[in-house]
């Protein structure tokens, strides 16, 4: 049975090992932490932790490192909640809020999370409920660029920037809006034939964008960013980082894990090392759920070696998931 002090020793070992990347010995714990006991007493606590398979010695006469089971106890029982700093929260808001459309929000979110955590970041596209379009709007951005806005019957809004083959006048834009709205309502693919030849290329460009926005999102679609972060920490994988990279490339394993991971009371799910099957058994995954209007819950998260800063990464995932939900709700 691990004592309360033993659990605090485990906390110290996890924090020091994550920080310095070297096995942690009893003398180092005494020097760095205020336990008020001798190194011999700490060694006794470490012996109990080792018997319970919470720490292990990678080499004879070396210090100790956490096991997957030790990381799990740390995540579930020992880590303190660590909110993001004001600067980090401001950075999230500044990074996400200028997004132009849904796809831009997804791209920005995954890049931001990779930057905040220095891990590989993943965002899963939500499965949108099918809802027909109610009307279309075209907002001029420049002479040859418009923001195409589709308002669905459900009230959700899709929008996308479209580059036009040439400029059009305001009266042509209003005509195109009316014809496109009528065509969608009547189930037609495009109003090309009813337009003068000059407007047909513009109508096709806008119609293609509308068709893409109206298509149901694939539930197996995901974006990743920060692959270089994973490669940079390749030395933390006992064998090779290549199987992990292959699993990321295939995506099937990651999507299945995302679906199986159970979130805690804080809405964050973690899967550590050997809890993952197959090629991800040396990696840890942290995921949080976010919601888009008219869509099922989807997940955003990070993947990295088991030697990661769980407290900071969980806080970052939680914050990005919340901001992502908020931004998408405000756009609806």
């Amino acid at each position: 049975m691990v004592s309360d002090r033993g659990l605090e020793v485990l906390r110290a070992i996890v924090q020091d090992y994550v920080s310095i990347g070297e096995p942690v010995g009893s003398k180092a714990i005494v020097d760095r932490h205020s336990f008020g006991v001798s190194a011999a007493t700490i060694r006794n606590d470490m012996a109990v932790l080792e018997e319970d398979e919470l720490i292990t010695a990678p080499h004879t006469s070396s210090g100790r490192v956490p096991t997957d089971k030790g990381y799990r106890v740390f995540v579930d029982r020992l880590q303190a909640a660590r909110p993001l700093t004001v600067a980090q929260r401001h950075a999230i808001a500044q990074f996400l809020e200028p997004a132009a459309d849904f796809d831009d929000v997804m791209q920005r979110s995954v890049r931001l999370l990779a930057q905040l955590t220095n891990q590989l970041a993943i965002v899963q596209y939500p499965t949108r409920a099918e809802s027909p379009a109610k009307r279309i709007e075209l907002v001029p951005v420049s002479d040859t660029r418009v923001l195409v806005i589709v308002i669905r019957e459900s009230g959700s809004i899709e929008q996308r920037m479209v580059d036009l083959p040439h400029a059009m006048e305001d009266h042509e834009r209003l005509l195109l809006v009316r014809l496109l709205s009528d065509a969608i309502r009547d189930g037609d693919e495009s109003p090309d034939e009813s337009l003068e030849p000059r407007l047909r290329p513009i109508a096709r460009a806008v119609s293609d964008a509308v068709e893409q926005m109206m298509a149901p999102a694939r539930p197996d679609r995901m974006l990743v960013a920060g692959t270089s972060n994973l490669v940079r920490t390749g030395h933390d994988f006992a064998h090779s980082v290549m199987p992990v990279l292959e699993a990321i490339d295939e995506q099937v394993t990651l999507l299945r894990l995302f679906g199986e991971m159970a979130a805690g009371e804080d809405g964050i799910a973690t899967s550590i090392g050997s809890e993952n099957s197959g090629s991800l058994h040396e990696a840890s995954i942290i995921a949080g759920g976010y919601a888009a209007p008219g869509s099922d819950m989807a997940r955003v998260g990070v993947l990295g070696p088991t030697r990661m800063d769980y407290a900071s990464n969980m806080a970052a995932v939680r914050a990005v998931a919340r901001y992502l939900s908020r931004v998408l709700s405000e756009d609806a």
Side-chain angles (χ1 to χ4, degrees), residues 108-323:
R108 286 170 177 264
S109 298
V110 73
R111 292 199 308 270
L112 172 64
L113 190 55
Q115 292 174 14
L116 287 174
T117 62
N118 291 317
Q119 305 292 342
L120 180 125
I122 308 158
V123 62
Q124 177 187 23
Y125 267 70
T127 303
R128 294 195 295 267
E130 294 189 35
S131 175
K134 184 177 181 181
R135 72 175 190 273
I136 295 173
E137 295 179 5
L138 300 180
V139 179
V141 176
S142 69
D143 288 344
T144 57
R145 171 174 276 201
V146 295
L147 177 63
V148 181
I149 302 174
V150 177
I151 298 93
R152 294 176 179 261
E153 293 285 356
S154 63
S156 64
I157 296 174
E158 309 281 346
Q159 54 187 24
R160 181 167 299 188
M161 288 289 185
V162 175
D163 292 316
L164 306 178
H166 55 78
M168 63 177 169
E169 302 293 334
D170 281 346
H171 73 276
E172 293 174 325
R173 176 176 57 83
L174 295 174
L175 173 63
L176 185 56
V177 167
R178 180 173 61 81
L179 291 175
L180 282 170
S181 297
D182 290 345
I184 286 184
R185 187 170 57 251
D186 297 339
D188 295 334
E189 292 184 358
S190 171
D192 287 6
E193 298 306 318
S194 61
L195 290 170
E196 58 182 272
R198 166 185 152 74
L199 282 182
R200 289 176 188 174
I202 294 178
R204 281 194 291 272
V206 174
S207 295
D208 288 344
V210 171
E211 184 178 351
Q212 292 172 14
M213 286 187 281
M214 292 301 297
R218 289 168 45 197
D220 60 345
R221 184 182 177 191
M222 63 193 304
L223 297 174
V224 299
T227 304
S228 60
N229 292 332
L230 192 62
V231 174
R232 197 158 41 241
T233 58
H235 60 276
D236 283 317
F237 294 87
H239 297 93
S240 170
V241 74
M242 288 308 299
V244 180
L245 293 172
E246 290 171 359
I248 293 165
D249 188 51
E250 293 174 358
Q251 297 192 354
V252 176
T253 302
L254 276 177
L255 287 165
R256 188 184 71 248
L257 274 174
F258 262 25
E260 294 173 351
M261 292 169 66
E265 293 181 1
D266 60 355
I268 299 298
T270 58
S271 189
I272 300 171
S274 55
E275 297 172 0
N276 302 317
S277 59
S279 55
L280 297 178
H281 69 281
E282 292 185 358
S284 285
I285 301 170
I286 300 172
Y290 75 92
S295 303
D296 294 332
M297 180 72 71
R299 281 185 162 169
V300 58
V302 296
L303 180 149
T306 54
R307 190 183 75 88
M308 67 161 62
D309 187 341
Y310 289 93
S312 291
N313 291 345
M314 291 172 74
V317 168
R318 184 185 303 111
V320 171
R322 287 175 177 172
Y323 272 98

